[in-house]
Amino acid sequence: MNPLVLSLLILSLGLGTTLTFASSHWLLAWMGLEINTLAIIPLMAQHHHPRAVEATTKYFLTQATAAALILFASMTNAWITGQWGIQQMDQTIPTTMLTIALMLKLGLAPAHFWLPEVLQGLDLTTGLIMSTWQKLAPLALLVQIPNLNSNLLIFIGLISTMVGGWGGLNQTQLRKVMAYSSIAHLGWMILIVSFNSKLTLLALSMYILMTTSMFLTLKINNSLDMNTLATSWAKTPILTALTPLILLSLGGLPPLSGFMPKWLILQELTKQELPLTATIAALSALLSLYFYLRLSYAMALTTSPNTTINTAPWRLKTNQNSIPLSTSIALTAMLLPMTPTILAI
Amino acid sequence: MLKILIPTLMLLPLPWLTPKKWLWPTSLMHSMIIALISLYWLKNSSEEGWTTLNPMMGTDPLSTPLLILTCWLLPLMILASQNHMAPEPLSRQRTYISLLSSLQVFLILAFSATEILMFYIMFEATLIPTLIIITRWGNQKERLNAGTYFLFYTLAGSLPLLVALLLLQNSTGTLSMLITPYNDLTLTTSWSHKLWWAGCMIAFLVKMPLYGVHLWLPKAHVEAPIAGSMILAAVLLKLGGYGMMRIMVTLDPLSKEMLFPFIILALWGVIMTGSICLRQTDLKSLIAYSSVSHMGLVAGGILIQTPWGFTGALILMIAHGLASSALFCLANTNYERTHSRTMLLARGLQMIMPLMASWWFTASLANLALPPLPNLMGEIMIISSLFNWSWFTIILTGAGTLITAGYSLYLFLMTQRGPLPQHITALSPSHTREHLLMALHLLPLIMIIAKPALVSGWFA
């Protein structure tokens, strides 16, 4: 893509999210979301491949619907209360509508159906942006709303963790696996937002870290499905040895960093007298762990000198800068001892 | 405590910085030095209290024998792995030793933790290196299934434990093991309290394993390479027992109502798994089921919550750790020569490896709990405390002892006695390394006879 156009689109992407972060008026927040959507559409369709264009169309339709719902909900609140403040939205009907709109925007169950198909149509870099950057603005709005309906949010959260777990079990395409992983992690974030929104932001930051590591790893290996992943031992042996750590961190196993948000969320849920919810959420994380484990089996734990399911790939030198990946892997694996620091924030 | 922990942490970069020629000798030497230094933990300054106490870690007479067993086992694992790792590329050998050392670090932190949540995190942390050892370096394709069973059985039990511990922290404000014995929880028989009790116990029961949720163990033990089998049998199962002992002090008096099915399951498991052993054709599988059988007895001893029960459980844990690990090493000597675990293929070995036969003999005697070995001490104390609770249990435990003797004898006679088959007359003789390995397993076991108070825990 023309570098000028690319920089314009990336800057617009940043502008949109920043606008939503900085706003206290619903209209401005909605504008930021729309700028975000508009900026990423050309990025998604840049390869002009029919599959990419299909993904772009599906994304546009869902995001436009969600944005329209947000506008409608905030307008309803403005009709009732006469003001457009984000943190002063305390009517139940607009709040519920807004929650559902943000559910659609983020890709939470039961409005998650678009996410795997959209992610599958994207290349890995755009997929990374979709999974990480695009979640920031809607979640920033969600944590600011007062008086969220905790029953609805717990329902959405539990359903998302379970859908994310069960949905990913039958996938071999890695982008779809990452989509279901996104649904599951967002479910964990939503579970806790009505009780302690700081933990939502912590879970979001840990999720962004782990997903970045995973996508960058896939990019270096240039692998889009599990079979290609199985040949990565020949291309990048050290990265192959480290990827199980990323995957198990995504699964939330101690002593890796991915355990931190799960632990703190379970702690908050038990403090709120919801131990059954906590147990169900914890056990549904085991579903996701199964497919992460299967990926690490395929990639690193079953290498042998002479069995590849795929044809041997060209071992080309990559231009990709490895510093972001090495930093993010180090953080993905070793941040758990920082938990007391996080708790103090 | 840091005297041992920091050298063990330094064992992680050690293999990467050692030249190839000295890789295995230096790893062995350094881990052996750490093991010998760890013996100073045997001096506990108070009968029931904590020694070497700092804000995060401490040792007490319960954790000390298990810590020393863990530290002792690392050089033995390195010694045992030397042969089968020799054909592998150098970086994989280095990764393997680092993996064993990282497991060691987590185990030391687990046994010396004074906060139950720290114990929990380290308990879970031991799963990852063990999973990698089993699935990456196991020898058959079944190892993937074994790793999955291992991980998911343990996690399905331990995630409710996490929720239960967080609930405990909310209600008492602390999870420090120095304080939890003095908790006054006034537990009732309401459903929520019963579920909380079950949440606390199930993780450790799965880990022990209790018969009924033991299915992961034969798979994991059989598919793991020798170091994996050793650490699993000797130490990782004891994590379950240790955790149970620590958490039980807070769970009274609800335990009296809740324990019946678990004690019965444990004792029935002793008989059932013992009977399975009598019909096994796979050598490692036999030793794995015998582990389940012994740990069933340990579970019974812990669940009965008497001083003799706890003491017997701890003694049996240490003795079983050494004996079971010794048996796995012996099975490995067979496996390295014949690349098969089938007992029928490698029998009558006394003819060609007579000195190894004496080790087989001692290890089998330890397994069947011959006096004066500590195995018997542990078993007698557990059986007596169970008998004191209810005289019916003597039927189960007595039959269990009989069956244990039966399959241990079967194991010995099958592998050592009888005619040597024609196809294995050309097996290579025993290495000195293997004799050293067996000696280092069985001599401590025999030495414990002289002072059982060392491994008796709180009630020495």
Side-chain angles (χ1 to χ4, degrees):
Chain A
M1 195 187 253
N2 184 349
L4 279 176
V5 176
L6 184 63
S7 58
L8 182 66
L9 290 172
I10 303 246
L11 284 173
S12 304
L13 209 53
L15 174 69
T17 307
T18 317
L19 211 51
T20 311
F21 280 170
S23 62
S24 53
H25 191 286
W26 271 115
L27 270 180
L28 197 60
W30 169 80
M31 266 202 281
L33 288 172
E34 290 286 89
I35 294 176
N36 214 350
T37 311
L38 283 176
I40 202 171
I41 297 291
L43 278 177
M44 290 167 67
Q46 62 185 312
H47 294 294
H48 303 292
H49 186 267
R51 186 67 183 82
V53 172
E54 176 191 337
T56 314
T57 319
K58 285 180 183 165
Y59 184 70
F60 175 70
L61 289 172
T62 53
Q63 299 292 305
T65 314
L69 256 179
I70 293 177
L71 197 56
F72 187 50
S74 49
M75 209 181 300
T76 312
N77 192 44
W79 268 115
I80 300 175
T81 59
Q83 47 81 32
W84 291 80
I86 294 182
Q87 292 178 350
Q88 283 86 39
M89 178 182 258
D90 48 4
Q91 305 296 314
T92 47
I93 294 183
T95 310
T96 313
M97 271 199 286
L98 207 71
T99 313
I100 296 178
L102 289 171
M103 170 174 84
L104 179 56
K105 222 175 211 323
L106 285 169
L108 286 165
H112 65 282
F113 293 94
W114 58 273
L115 188 56
E117 290 154 15
V118 166
L119 259 180
Q120 180 65 17
L122 305 176
D123 61 302
L124 286 168
T125 322
T126 320
L128 172 59
I129 299 177
M130 169 73 61
S131 297
T132 54
W133 187 258
Q134 298 293 84
K135 311 290 182 216
L136 289 174
L139 273 170
L141 289 178
L142 198 56
V143 301
Q144 288 182 69
I145 304 171
N147 304 327
L148 284 167
N149 183 354
S150 54
N151 286 334
L152 176 63
L153 287 168
I154 292 179
F155 171 74
I156 295 177
L158 284 181
I159 299 280
S160 296
T161 52
M162 289 197 258
V163 161
W166 266 307
L169 284 179
N170 204 26
Q171 305 299 334
T172 55
Q173 293 295 318
L174 293 174
R175 289 164 292 178
K176 282 199 175 173
V177 167
M178 294 311 293
Y180 283 105
S181 140
S182 164
I183 297 172
H185 279 99
L186 280 171
W188 277 90
M189 292 179 222
I190 293 299
L191 265 179
I192 204 65
V193 73
S194 53
F195 304 116
N196 186 350
S197 49
K198 287 191 188 141
L199 286 180
T200 306
L201 297 174
L202 170 70
L204 177 65
S205 14
M206 288 309 308
Y207 165 70
I208 288 180
L209 193 59
M210 298 187 285
T211 311
T212 311
S213 309
M214 197 58 208
F215 268 100
L216 288 177
T217 308
L218 295 180
K219 223 169 129 37
I220 285 194
N221 286 319
N222 204 17
S223 52
L224 298 171
D225 61 19
M226 268 171 65
N227 285 344
T228 324
L229 207 58
T231 62
S232 63
W233 64 269
K235 294 182 269 195
T236 53
I238 300 183
L239 185 58
T240 306
L242 290 175
T243 311
L245 289 182
I246 306 175
L247 285 165
L248 293 175
S249 186
L250 272 168
L253 278 190
L256 304 166
S257 327
F259 179 62
M260 194 198 319
K262 291 202 163 64
W263 171 17
L264 294 175
I265 290 177
L266 289 175
Q267 188 170 37
E268 187 62 39
L269 284 174
T270 53
K271 279 189 196 153
Q272 301 286 339
E273 317 269 322
L274 292 169
L276 186 60
T277 312
T279 316
I280 297 177
L283 290 174
S284 62
L286 284 182
L287 292 166
S288 317
L289 181 65
Y290 184 76
F291 58 79
Y292 297 133
L293 189 66
R294 191 172 51 197
L295 279 180
S296 53
Y297 278 174
M299 187 176 187
L301 297 174
T302 56
T303 50
S304 90
N306 47 11
T307 48
T308 56
I309 316 162
N310 207 355
T311 50
W314 285 107
R315 294 167 201 189
L316 301 168
K317 226 169 146 45
T318 171
N319 281 332
Q320 185 170 334
N321 187 6
S322 64
I323 293 186
L325 178 56
S326 52
T327 322
S328 59
I329 292 185
L331 292 174
T332 313
M334 298 199 285
L335 267 184
L336 191 64
M338 299 291 289
T339 311
T341 316
I342 307 288
L343 280 174
I345 296 179
Chain B
M1 177 53 65
L2 283 181
K3 282 193 272 298
I4 305 288
L5 192 56
I6 296 203
T8 317
L9 275 167
M10 286 296 118
L11 279 181
L12 283 158
L14 172 74
W16 294 95
L17 300 170
T18 335
K20 171 179 179 151
K21 199 166 91 155
W22 294 103
L23 175 62
W24 292 93
T26 47
S27 311
L28 178 61
M29 179 183 80
H30 285 105
S31 49
M32 185 59 91
I33 292 176
I34 295 176
L36 290 172
I37 297 177
S38 75
L39 287 172
Y40 93 97
W41 276 326
L42 283 173
K43 182 181 178 336
N44 282 308
S45 49
S46 68
E47 278 293 311
E48 288 217 6
W50 294 83
T51 322
T52 62
L53 196 57
N54 65 55
M56 326 269 189
M57 302 187 277
T59 60
D60 85 336
L62 181 59
S63 60
T64 307
L66 291 164
L67 272 166
I68 298 176
L69 180 64
T70 314
C71 293
W72 186 248
L73 215 71
L74 182 60
L76 268 50
M77 285 197 282
I78 292 178
L79 207 50
S81 310
Q82 196 168 338
N83 194 12
H84 78 86
M85 291 299 288
E88 298 230 8
L90 184 62
S91 57
R92 286 201 204 139
Q93 294 185 18
R94 292 183 158 148
T95 314
Y96 195 67
I97 299 179
S98 287
L99 207 55
L100 294 179
S101 314
S102 68
L103 185 54
Q104 180 78 346
V105 168
F106 291 137
L107 281 169
I108 292 181
L109 284 170
F111 282 121
S112 59
T114 48
E115 166 106 24
I116 305 186
L117 210 47
M118 165 95 148
F119 171 73
Y120 174 82
I121 293 183
M122 291 305 142
F123 173 88
E124 299 271 291
T126 58
L127 292 177
I128 297 186
T130 317
L131 175 75
I132 298 182
I133 293 176
I134 297 178
T135 51
R136 173 65 186 84
W137 274 282
N139 282 317
Q140 283 80 32
K141 74 167 169 54
E142 289 81 10
R143 69 191 195 274
L144 300 178
N145 208 9
T148 311
Y149 263 71
F150 168 65
L151 192 66
F152 282 88
Y153 262 75
T154 316
L155 281 176
S158 61
L159 285 170
L161 172 66
L162 179 60
V163 177
L165 288 177
L166 292 170
L167 282 170
L168 183 60
Q169 187 170 35
N170 286 334
S171 75
T172 54
T174 177
L175 279 178
S176 170
M177 288 183 194
L178 289 89
I179 301 188
T180 47
Y182 307 108
N183 269 340
D184 185 17
L185 285 176
T186 59
L187 293 171
T188 64
T189 51
S190 65
W191 268 108
S192 57
H193 286 168
K194 282 187 181 171
L195 275 175
W196 176 79
W197 185 97
C200 285
M201 293 293 285
I202 292 201
F204 301 121
L205 290 171
V206 168
K207 191 82 176 168
M208 284 214 72
L210 184 70
Y211 183 70
V213 288
H214 68 289
L215 221 49
W216 63 272
L217 186 136
K219 291 191 191 323
H221 275 77
V222 163
E223 300 303 330
I226 180 60
S229 294
M230 286 167 73
I231 196 69
L232 264 171
V235 184
L236 290 175
L237 303 186
K238 297 12 178 201
L239 267 179
Y242 174 75
M244 216 150 65
M245 286 201 212
R246 288 286 187 209
I247 200 91
M248 285 207 93
V249 291
T250 37
L251 295 177
D252 260 332
L254 185 55
S255 302
K256 288 202 201 68
E257 281 83 29
M258 295 286 292
L259 279 175
F260 288 116
F262 296 112
I263 300 184
I264 297 304
L265 212 49
L267 293 179
W268 184 237
V270 172
I271 298 189
M272 287 305 290
T273 48
S275 315
I276 295 176
C277 285
L278 284 172
R279 297 289 296 165
Q280 279 297 330
T281 53
D282 181 336
L283 184 53
K284 276 182 97 167
S285 193
L286 193 152
I287 306 172
Y289 276 108
S290 115
S291 277
V292 181
S293 177
H294 287 287
M295 295 310 281
L297 209 50
V298 171
I302 299 177
L303 291 170
I304 208 75
Q305 297 175 91
T306 61
W308 269 40
F310 267 36
T311 313
L314 183 59
I315 300 180
L316 187 54
M317 282 204 280
I318 305 296
H320 169 261
L322 288 168
S324 194
S325 179
L327 280 171
F328 274 115
C329 290
L330 287 167
N332 191 46
T333 60
N334 272 8
Y335 185 78
E336 283 180 1
R337 285 167 178 76
T338 59
H339 285 289
S340 162
R341 298 193 300 263
T342 315
M343 282 204 287
L344 211 55
L345 290 180
R347 62 185 194 275
L349 293 173
Q350 187 169 6
M351 282 289 127
I352 43 173
M353 293 190 282
L355 191 52
M356 199 54 84
S358 65
W359 295 123
W360 272 103
F361 186 53
T362 318
S364 305
L365 290 179
N367 203 20
L368 64 84
L370 188 78
L373 290 169
N375 303 65
L376 179 80
M377 272 209 71
E379 287 199 8
I380 287 261
M381 294 182 96
I382 296 176
I383 294 177
S384 313
S385 61
L386 282 168
F387 182 70
N388 185 34
W389 171 63
S390 157
W391 67 264
F392 284 115
T393 59
I394 196 74
I395 303 172
L396 294 169
T397 49
T401 315
L402 204 60
I403 298 179
T404 306
Y407 68 72
S408 301
L409 197 60
Y410 168 64
L411 173 68
F412 176 66
L413 293 177
M414 195 62 167
T415 51
Q416 303 304 116
R417 295 292 163 95
L420 184 67
Q422 298 289 345
H423 64 271
I424 54 171
T425 52
L427 286 183
S428 52
S430 321
H431 302 278
T432 314
R433 177 186 58 87
E434 291 167 347
H435 287 301
L436 176 64
L437 187 60
M438 296 315 304
L440 287 176
H441 273 108
L442 295 173
L443 286 178
L445 192 59
I446 297 174
M447 287 198 284
I448 295 178
I449 303 176
K451 191 169 173 151
L454 291 174
V455 294
S456 298
W458 294 319
F459 308 104

